[in-house]
Amino acid sequence: MSMSRRQIREQIFKLIFRVEFHSEEEIPEQFRLFMDTMEDEREEDRIYIHDKVRDIVDHLEEIDGLIDANVDSWKTDRMAKADLAIIRLAVYEIKYEDAIPDKVAINEAVELAKLYGEESSPAFVNGVLARIV
């Protein structure tokens, strides 16, 4: 059975989160290890997740620049790592995924922040993304 969009987005978030903790050279191995944990999922979903994460990582400098340009005191290097990964995913969807409405990207980011962030994370994520759109 195919994964839901929300499940796919959650897996993408988990991979994006790993980027902060590994060097650029280690990222391919991290992708491989993570994808091995998803061996029961459809190949189509696995390929989509891998390709999207690769594209997000390729655009990370632009994404982080956009985030930094729209926040005052919490630049990307000071943000909680879970919040940063969630915001990066949403910014990518807002700027590079025309098929995903901005409101959907923001709502999904807030939902991820409720699951993986701190108590203040949903409001923080929403506030940052509202300034970007």
Side-chain angles (χ1 to χ4, degrees):
M1 186 162 83
S2 185
M3 298 172 76
S4 71
R5 285 191 173 272
R6 183 165 279 178
Q7 290 170 320
I8 288 172
R9 189 176 275 108
E10 190 171 350
Q11 298 308 314
I12 292 168
F13 155 74
K14 289 176 181 178
L15 269 167
I16 299 288
F17 181 76
R18 288 182 178 210
V19 168
E20 277 302 295
F21 299 98
H22 299 281
S23 70
E24 191 173 330
E25 296 80 32
E26 295 173 313
I27 296 301
E29 177 68 7
Q30 288 301 310
F31 282 6
R32 189 191 63 72
L33 291 170
F34 187 84
M35 297 312 278
D36 285 351
T37 68
M38 296 183 56
E39 62 188 22
D40 293 337
E41 302 301 335
R42 285 184 30 195
E43 185 66 16
E44 176 182 312
D45 291 338
R46 292 166 41 112
I47 291 169
Y48 178 82
I49 290 166
H50 178 273
D51 291 350
K52 188 162 179 177
V53 171
R54 175 80 340 220
D55 202 37
I56 292 169
V57 169
D58 289 346
H59 287 92
L60 219 45
E61 191 173 321
E62 298 162 51
I63 291 168
D64 286 356
L66 188 57
I67 295 167
D68 283 340
N70 284 282
V71 294
D72 296 322
S73 57
W74 288 100
K75 301 297 183 196
T76 53
D77 60 346
R78 291 190 57 223
M79 289 181 188
K81 300 306 180 202
D83 293 352
L84 178 58
I86 293 165
I87 292 168
R88 283 172 166 169
L89 172 55
V91 169
Y92 175 85
E93 290 180 341
I94 289 165
K95 294 301 175 187
Y96 301 101
E97 296 267 345
D98 294 335
I100 300 174
D102 293 354
K103 287 184 178 186
V104 170
I106 293 170
N107 182 59
E108 291 295 327
V110 170
E111 291 302 314
L112 281 172
K114 289 176 185 176
L115 284 173
Y116 293 100
E118 299 173 17
E119 189 176 320
S120 61
S121 293
F124 177 73
V125 167
N126 188 53
V128 171
L129 295 173
R131 292 183 79 175
I132 290 174
V133 297

